[in-house]
Amino acid sequence: MSLKKVNKEMLNELYELIVSVKSAEDCRDLFGDLCTNKETEQMAQRLRAAKLLLDGKTYNQVIDETDISSATLSRVSRCVQYGNGYRKFLKQEGSENENN
């Protein structure tokens, strides 16, 4: 399928499906069907890199710990600084953990 055939409705269906997942096990099953192992690993690597950047780690420290490429780390860093997702959800996760 051409990317030109992907529309907002299809993307919204994906997002709605993801937010309907109730457990880590169900999420693993869904991502196992939606993504290759490599794609899932890359998302996990980006998430860890974002957490480390938010914790104040340097680029070199993040690369050493995650083996992420400098180009991908640069993109993650821009998203951490200027995006909404990482900062919103990783900070939220950290505050919930501090309260427990």
Side-chain angles (χ1 to χ4, degrees):
M1 173 191 305
S2 165
L3 288 180
K4 292 179 181 180
K5 301 260 184 202
V6 176
N7 59 37
K8 287 183 182 183
E9 180 184 353
M10 293 168 69
L11 290 171
N12 284 333
E13 288 174 356
L14 171 66
Y15 301 145
E16 291 296 325
L17 179 63
I18 290 170
V19 299
S20 74
V21 174
K22 302 290 187 216
S23 70
E25 182 181 347
D26 288 345
C27 189
R28 234 184 330 273
D29 290 343
L30 177 61
F31 276 74
D33 289 347
L34 282 174
C35 306
T36 65
N37 286 340
K38 187 67 174 173
E39 290 167 333
T40 304
E41 289 168 1
Q42 289 171 336
M43 287 188 283
Q45 183 184 49
R46 291 174 186 177
L47 180 62
R48 176 60 56 89
K51 285 181 177 182
L52 294 171
L53 289 172
L54 286 167
D55 286 344
K57 301 290 183 177
T58 67
Y59 266 40
N60 286 337
Q61 290 171 317
V62 174
I63 289 170
D64 286 345
E65 185 166 328
T66 63
D67 200 31
I68 197 169
S69 74
S70 59
T72 302
L73 180 55
S74 177
R75 183 181 184 290
V76 169
S77 178
R78 279 193 308 275
C79 291
V80 165
Q81 291 175 336
Y82 305 110
N84 297 318
Y86 288 129
R87 190 170 292 280
K88 179 179 180 180
F89 292 102
L90 294 179
K91 289 293 186 183
Q92 176 182 344
E93 176 183 291
S95 355
E96 287 177 3
N97 289 340
E98 289 171 10
N99 294 331
N100 292 330

